[in-house]
Amino acid sequence: MSTVLAVLAIVGALLAGWYAYRRLGQGPADATYDAVGFLSATFWILAGVFAIVGGFVIIGIVILLIASYIWLAKGAATKKRLRKRVAE
């Protein structure tokens, strides 16, 4: 697989995860769950990138799509929760 196609697959999967996050939103969770989900999703995003680069394009795209959705959702939830605590 060429580098250009790998980059396109990675960017496309991340954009699809972002789109899913914007369409579906997120559910409530506590700060611990947010932190664990954020760190775990970061690991899975890297795993998806390496899968695509390694030639497992479809699996890598699916991993990136799901992980980027979780990564965005947990990061946004944590940010809102921290802003709320600072405002109190």
Side-chain angles (χ1 to χ4, degrees):
M1 168 179 260
S2 73
T3 305
V4 174
L5 290 177
V7 169
L8 286 175
I10 291 167
V11 170
L14 290 174
L15 287 175
W18 176 79
Y19 177 75
Y21 164 72
R22 299 301 283 173
R23 290 280 291 171
L24 301 174
Q26 60 199 16
D30 66 353
T32 305
Y33 180 77
D34 288 347
V36 170
F38 186 78
L39 292 174
S40 175
T42 301
F43 165 76
W44 283 108
I45 285 174
L46 291 174
V49 168
F50 288 128
I52 290 172
V53 171
F56 299 98
V57 179
I58 301 298
I59 294 170
I61 287 173
V62 170
I63 290 172
L64 276 177
L65 191 137
I66 294 169
S68 63
Y69 171 79
I70 293 169
W71 191 70
L72 289 167
K74 296 306 150 199
T78 301
K79 184 197 277 185
K80 287 179 187 176
R81 190 170 290 109
L82 289 175
R83 283 185 179 173
K84 182 180 176 184
R85 286 187 183 174
V86 169
E88 291 177 347

